[in-house]
Amino acid sequence: MRLGDGRWVQIWAGGSPGGTPVLFLPGCPDTRHAAYPGEQAALRADVRLVAVNRPGYGRSDSHASTHLSVADDVVAVADALAIDRFAVLGMSIGGPYALACAARHPDRVTAVGVLASPANVPELDPPYHRDDLGPDEQAFFARLASMTPDEAAEHMRADFQQYVDRLDPTDPDDEALVRRFVAQLPPYDAEIATRQGTTAAAAAVREALANPDGYLRDAAISFRRWDFRAEAITCPTFLWYGELDANASVRNGHWLAAHLPHATLVVREQTTHLAVLQDHWDDVLTTLISGN
């Protein structure tokens, strides 16, 4: 659909068309494809599940976005779909964007779900979202936090392009592309990433990596201090983290639980990054729409 400023935004809508609306914000680099496995759970829960590609992903136009500008885009999508009030669900890097929706539009957001997401990274102790970083990686994230978003994006562009070139999302061989992609994941997350089949997994990778701008903008703003306050969010907030998740330490969940006024934290034992959502769609959706 086209937004008021002329930009295009790409979405996916599934579940029950007349159900309780839940707007979904995927991780990084990831797209609306991450919501497809939730289709049946959304039908069971009578949820209208709408996934939104942020600027620079898939066919969503690139934009100098912020957490708050993405929050405005989400509300614009809701308006276009004649959705008044809705819950918002953010996976991984999508979590802070979901929280920004509640901070920016408290009159529209009924509840927020955050799954395996970084907290306000510069305010963590230590100020990193992962616990497995060496000194060089710690220094890298510290530099990102001190740069402007444009500077940070350019700082990462060459390395990210090399990563994309190694994966080669233009390769028409679905099996080869998926094999290269899942080789970088923990074994169980690799299994999750291919549950929908090789063709679906390859389509997800291609949409996520077709334009580097989506990833670079996400990475450029996700490890800086937020442009909103967690303490200002007044709706119920549900936090789900995995005990075995290396991408977002449980420390992030504890920080959020301490700063969000109405937060419930669940730490799932023996659970990896992708499994926090993909093994628990039914529980996540029913909890989010029931508020308990």
Side-chain angles (χ1 to χ4, degrees):
M1 58 182 59
R2 191 181 288 275
L3 301 177
D5 62 3
R7 287 182 293 121
W8 286 100
V9 61
Q10 188 175 27
I11 70 168
W12 171 83
S16 176
T20 303
V22 174
L23 273 67
F24 175 72
L25 295 167
C28 164
D30 208 349
T31 67
R32 62 204 175 115
H33 284 255
Y36 295 5
E39 168 83 8
Q40 294 305 311
L43 288 169
R44 287 190 290 270
D46 193 26
V47 162
R48 182 183 186 185
L49 184 61
V50 179
V52 182
N53 279 2
R54 288 188 295 279
Y57 285 111
R59 295 177 62 192
S60 289
D61 289 333
S62 299
H63 181 58
S65 54
T66 65
H67 285 116
L68 293 178
S69 77
V70 170
D72 292 342
D73 290 350
V74 170
V75 167
V77 168
D79 288 343
L81 297 176
I83 295 172
D84 181 18
R85 287 172 59 76
F86 55 90
V88 62
L89 182 65
M91 172 64 191
S92 190
I93 291 296
Y97 290 104
L99 292 169
C101 289
R104 179 81 149 185
H105 300 283
D107 57 324
R108 304 292 296 274
V109 176
T110 59
V112 180
V114 172
L115 298 129
S117 297
N120 197 348
V121 173
E123 297 190 11
L124 290 173
D125 182 20
Y128 316 111
H129 62 300
R130 303 179 63 123
D131 290 339
D132 60 351
L133 301 180
D136 289 345
E137 294 165 313
Q138 292 176 7
F140 172 78
F141 282 105
R143 284 196 300 274
L144 287 187
S146 67
M147 295 176 176
T148 68
D150 288 342
E151 290 170 342
E154 290 310 309
H155 180 65
M156 293 180 288
R157 187 176 296 277
D159 285 345
F160 182 65
Q161 190 59 56
Q162 290 178 7
Y163 163 77
V164 173
D165 291 344
R166 288 194 300 271
L167 282 182
D168 188 14
T170 62
D171 183 354
D173 186 334
D174 289 352
E175 289 190 7
L177 171 59
V178 171
R179 187 166 56 248
R180 290 191 296 272
F181 178 74
V182 301
Q184 65 190 334
L185 301 177
Y188 190 62
D189 280 353
E191 187 270 317
I192 290 173
T194 55
R195 280 180 183 170
Q196 303 295 301
T198 300
T199 299
V205 173
R206 292 188 180 106
E207 186 164 299
L209 299 178
N211 181 352
D213 291 347
Y215 169 87
L216 291 172
R217 193 67 188 183
D218 272 349
I221 68 174
S222 292
F223 308 109
R224 297 167 51 82
R225 189 164 275 104
W226 291 346
D227 51 1
F228 63 94
R229 292 180 63 252
E231 292 82 356
I233 296 171
T234 57
C235 67
T237 307
F238 301 93
L239 314 170
W240 290 279
Y241 284 78
E243 184 183 47
L244 302 182
D245 184 1
N247 287 6
S249 161
V250 174
R251 287 190 301 112
N252 295 272
H254 288 297
W255 187 94
L256 288 169
H259 289 79
L260 291 161
H262 305 286
T264 300
L265 172 63
V266 175
V267 178
R268 300 198 188 278
E269 296 180 356
Q270 299 298 305
T271 302
T272 57
H273 187 65
L274 296 182
V276 172
L277 173 61
Q278 299 301 346
D279 280 356
H280 299 281
W281 271 106
D282 285 281
D283 178 61
V284 166
L285 291 178
T286 54
T287 298
L288 195 57
I289 64 172
S290 65
N292 56 54

